[in-house]
Amino acid sequence: QLVESGGELVQAGGSLRLSCAASGRTSGPYAMGWFRATPGKEREFVGAIGGSGDKTLYADSVEGRFTISRVNAKNTAYLQMNSLKPEDAAVYYCAAGPVLARLERSYIWWGQGTQVKVSS
């Protein structure tokens, strides 16, 4: 099971940190991905981190503003979002899978999502 938390309303330019807590079969050394979805748009890749935390991938739209990390002892991954823009508003999902990848189909388990709102 994956459970996201931390989503809330924030002003543009502000920061927010999302958490993804893994439990059960999802708490192994899997790659963790973050995706986001807005109404009328397909869910898009945000970033991902490898099982050991030594490799990360980011979408161009968030590179340099967002940082993904993980604490395996806590079975938790994080998405630190800085310099937030109105276009970052979305439901953010975390996912776990066997390989570090940008594609949704590479991930097996998904959380329910957490809402991020950004006011301009």
Side-chain angles (χ1 to χ4, degrees):
Q1 182 182 9
L2 298 173
V3 179
E4 304 94 335
S5 62
E8 62 181 64
L9 173 63
V10 62
Q11 285 190 333
S15 297
L16 203 59
R17 189 178 78 160
L18 305 183
S19 300
C20 175
S23 61
R25 57 168 41 181
T26 65
S27 60
Y30 296 106
M32 300 293 289
W34 286 94
F35 294 78
R36 64 188 182 188
T38 55
K41 293 180 63 177
E42 292 186 359
R43 188 159 55 185
E44 65 173 348
F45 172 77
V46 174
I49 187 166
S52 61
D54 60 338
K55 295 183 179 179
T56 53
L57 298 173
Y58 295 98
D60 290 345
S61 59
V62 306
E63 180 84 55
R65 298 188 299 122
F66 290 12
T67 303
I68 295 175
S69 61
R70 65 189 298 159
V71 179
N72 285 345
K74 295 184 178 181
N75 295 321
T76 302
Y78 304 95
L79 177 64
Q80 177 67 45
M81 304 185 292
N82 299 329
S83 301
L84 281 161
K85 304 176 181 179
E87 52 263 42
D88 293 319
V91 176
Y92 282 73
Y93 299 88
C94 68
V99 296
L100 180 63
R102 299 176 182 269
L103 298 176
E104 285 191 43
R105 63 174 181 263
S106 299
Y107 295 89
I108 301 172
W109 300 283
W110 290 81
Q112 294 300 305
T114 185
Q115 178 80 55
V116 172
K117 297 181 180 180
V118 183
S119 63
S120 56

